[in-house]
Amino acid sequence: MTGRGARRSEMKIAFIGLGNMGGGMAANLVKAGHEVRAFDLADAALTAAREKGCATFAAASEACKGVDAVVSMLPNGGIVKAVYADSVFGHAPAGAVLIDCSTIDVATAREVAALAETEGYAMVDAPVSGGIAAADAGTLTFMVGGSANAFRRAEEVLACMGKAVIHAGDAGNGQAAKICNNMLLGIHMIGTAEAFAMAQKLGLDPQTFFDISSVSSGQCWSMTSYCPVPGVGPKTPADNDYQGGFATALMLKDLKLAMEAAATAGMAPRIGAKAAELYEAFDAAGNGTRDFSAIITDY
């Protein structure tokens, strides 16, 4: 495990996927002194990347030429598999380390890593914990799956974008850690929202309940760091009408991935499945772009 203070050498890095998370991550690689060759399908994302010091390219395969590392932040496993097969393998030098920071299903992460190995590349899956603000600030946590050698090579790149880089084990284990963590987060947020809603209905002032629970046995990150009640605790998306942060649609995506992974492992989560059901209903009601803590408004 390491953080941002590690010693680094200048590298040439391709960055594929410059959305809400990827744009800030690529900018932090530039700030760390690396040459970043960026690609995205959206012209606006490419313009923003250029303004932050990235060189931009019309094709991902062009961005990958001559690089020391490839970093990707993409929407789903199908896109990850297609991008690596079509634009990375055979285009990036064989010595480049491949780092996929997307949140995707465990099976696809392992499949793409195996294909990379067949093509002669070292590859890791390195999904992140932390939202847009953490991506911009370079304070993400990376959960990394891959061989010890691949992790060692990827660590230097990831440390420029995060506060912690943790080796979770073999290929796919980064994704496993991410979806288990976010399943727990979804469960905690629903529980926190229900507790605040019930406290208010029983006549407790929200701030008073926070003052008690945040130093008692019910305290959790969703309470003390990401409180879903406006004006209570540290500043959170609740104080901005639930805008920004971690969108409900993304929480639902992670919960669905968790349920898929559990099924392949022969497990049937009960509370996790209920959390997925509640967030699916909340998303279907038109709340997909709101922060996931907005689920408190359902009570």
Side-chain angles (χ1 to χ4, degrees):
M1 176 174 146
T2 189
R4 300 189 75 196
R7 181 183 176 188
R8 309 174 189 103
S9 56
E10 184 178 335
M11 288 183 279
K12 186 180 291 186
I13 302 170
F15 204 109
I16 304 171
L18 303 165
N20 289 333
M21 297 292 289
M25 293 165 67
N28 281 316
L29 290 173
V30 173
K31 290 176 185 176
H34 301 302
E35 178 185 336
V36 178
R37 298 166 60 90
F39 171 77
D40 194 278
L41 292 174
D43 289 339
L46 292 174
T47 298
R50 283 194 295 272
E51 291 173 353
K52 293 172 182 175
C54 299
T56 59
F57 294 81
S61 57
E62 289 296 315
C64 290
K65 289 184 177 179
V67 299
D68 302 297
V70 176
V71 181
S72 56
M73 179 59 93
L74 299 165
N76 59 57
I79 293 174
V80 168
K81 185 176 178 180
V83 165
Y84 277 87
D86 298 341
S87 302
V88 179
F89 299 155
H91 297 280
V97 61
L98 311 182
I99 306 168
D100 181 40
C101 295
S102 317
T103 296
I104 64 173
D105 59 288
V106 175
T108 298
R110 289 175 175 161
E111 181 183 0
V112 176
L115 291 171
E117 186 176 2
T118 299
E119 296 287 338
Y121 295 97
M123 184 172 186
V124 299
D125 53 288
V128 308
S129 178
I132 297 169
D136 291 341
T139 56
L140 295 166
T141 292
F142 292 91
M143 296 153 268
V144 188
S147 69
N149 176 61
F151 172 75
R152 178 185 58 78
R153 297 183 58 200
E155 188 177 20
E156 182 177 1
V157 177
L158 295 171
C160 300
M161 301 182 287
K163 64 181 180 180
V165 183
I166 304 167
H167 192 198
D170 294 336
N173 280 17
Q175 299 295 347
K178 169 67 183 283
I179 60 176
C180 289
N181 178 76
N182 277 21
M183 181 178 75
L184 185 59
L185 174 60
I187 292 167
H188 279 177
M189 183 54 75
I190 291 168
T192 299
E194 288 194 352
F196 268 107
M198 187 167 76
Q200 282 189 274
K201 290 183 184 299
L202 292 172
L204 271 173
D205 175 72
Q207 183 64 56
T208 300
F209 177 62
F210 175 87
D211 292 342
I212 294 167
S213 193
S214 64
V215 293
S216 301
S217 56
Q219 73 86 23
C220 61
W221 186 86
S222 292
M223 160 87 59
T224 57
S225 298
Y226 213 84
C227 186
V229 180
V232 177
K235 188 175 177 64
T236 68
D239 299 305
N240 189 37
D241 195 26
Y242 302 100
Q243 299 304 306
F246 186 52
T248 290
L250 295 178
M251 172 54 78
L252 178 58
K253 170 193 169 183
D254 288 359
L255 288 168
K256 286 182 174 179
L257 288 173
M259 295 307 102
E260 291 171 11
T264 65
M267 181 189 173
R270 288 169 285 185
I271 300 177
K274 186 62 178 179
E277 177 188 323
L278 292 171
Y279 272 108
E280 186 156 28
F282 192 60
D283 177 73
N287 297 295
T289 61
R290 301 176 79 192
D291 184 75
F292 79 110
S293 64
I295 199 162
I296 194 172
T297 61
D298 248 12
Y299 293 93

